[in-house]
Amino acid sequence: MHGPYSSNNSRRASPGLVAFSSSALIRLKSFLPPSWYASSPHKVRTTIPSGFVDGFPGWVVQVALVIDGKPKASAIFAPDIDLLYTAQEGAGAYCNGNKISVSNTLNKKNASICTGFPVRFNTQNNDEMQNFWNLISPYAKVRMLGTAAISLINVAKGSADVYTEQSIMLWDVAAGIAIIEGSGGCIYSEKGPHEYSLNVFASNKPLFKYH
């Protein structure tokens, strides 16, 4: 099966995809065996976050292992607050070694939603803006936290209830998706309009019916 997280290049050589995002320095690669990023069957993606460059708090370092279109393991480290989130398929999700779980909020009127405007979002398009308003207005609280990863880990630990975003890039959400699933949450994703982009909805089980 060719899932939304996999790439044609990595699929031809290997079922594994390694996706990096928001690395403080490109030399983050030095933490992995050289075979993972040099002459390797894996695909490695590295980016430097604008929040880090601009001195804006809330940037993270994250890594995800995706096999056959599904995140199997991941880690997200938030240096500003010294929190490390990890997950592995079948082993749960953890923050600094303590198990985390999603909330038990039952309905939108009591729920908080995390979202954001992707770079390509056209704020001048009235239809797009109206669709966005229709999406967020039923929720009690709307939060924009600066990065998809931080939004996803807040849903995973129950501090928020829902995360959704359109046309978000794979490397921005792969690690968080594994952590959501490890914490008992649910994920819906579909391929977005751009290469490696996804439309994503993440929540606890009671709210997942609204995706």
Side-chain angles (χ1 to χ4, degrees):
M1 181 174 67
H2 189 81
Y5 305 101
S6 55
S7 77
N8 290 332
N9 291 336
S10 65
R11 287 279 297 175
R12 280 195 294 269
S14 165
L17 166 63
V18 181
F20 283 92
S21 178
S22 299
S23 52
L25 298 168
I26 290 299
R27 68 173 180 268
L28 174 64
K29 293 178 182 177
S30 65
F31 291 95
L32 291 174
S35 61
W36 280 46
Y37 58 86
S39 302
S40 169
H42 296 82
K43 180 176 178 62
V44 176
R45 168 75 187 197
T46 59
T47 61
I48 298 178
S50 59
F52 170 76
V53 173
D54 297 337
F56 188 84
W59 59 275
V60 299
V61 179
Q62 56 183 320
V63 60
L65 175 64
V66 181
I67 299 176
D68 289 335
K70 182 177 175 58
K72 297 290 188 179
S74 71
I76 299 176
F77 179 52
D80 287 345
I81 50 179
D82 196 29
L83 294 179
L84 174 64
Y85 296 85
T86 58
Q88 183 176 344
E89 187 178 55
Y94 299 83
C95 176
N96 287 359
N98 299 309
K99 192 171 179 62
I100 58 174
S101 62
V102 294
S103 72
N104 57 8
T105 304
L106 298 177
N107 52 63
K108 289 182 179 181
K109 68 180 181 179
N110 295 321
S112 60
I113 182 171
C114 297
T115 188
F117 291 112
V119 172
R120 300 174 186 84
F121 188 86
N122 183 7
T123 57
Q124 303 304 310
N125 185 306
N126 289 335
D127 289 339
E128 287 193 24
M129 290 301 296
Q130 186 61 52
N131 289 339
F132 183 78
W133 173 251
N134 292 342
L135 172 69
I136 66 173
S137 59
Y139 291 90
K141 295 283 186 180
V142 179
R143 305 192 188 280
M144 293 187 178
L145 303 179
T147 71
I150 289 178
S151 296
L152 285 162
I153 58 179
N154 273 283
V155 174
K157 67 180 182 178
S159 297
D161 304 299
V162 174
Y163 163 78
T164 190
E165 196 160 346
Q166 302 292 300
S167 194
I168 188 70
M169 302 310 291
L170 154 68
W171 41 85
D172 291 322
V173 295
I177 285 173
I179 293 171
I180 288 280
E181 292 181 330
S183 64
C186 300
I187 292 284
Y188 171 80
S189 69
E190 62 183 14
K191 290 184 178 180
H194 308 285
E195 187 177 18
Y196 301 123
S197 73
L198 298 171
N199 301 325
V200 176
F201 184 95
S203 72
N204 63 18
K205 291 181 180 178
L207 294 171
F208 192 63
K209 62 186 177 184
Y210 296 118
H211 81 271

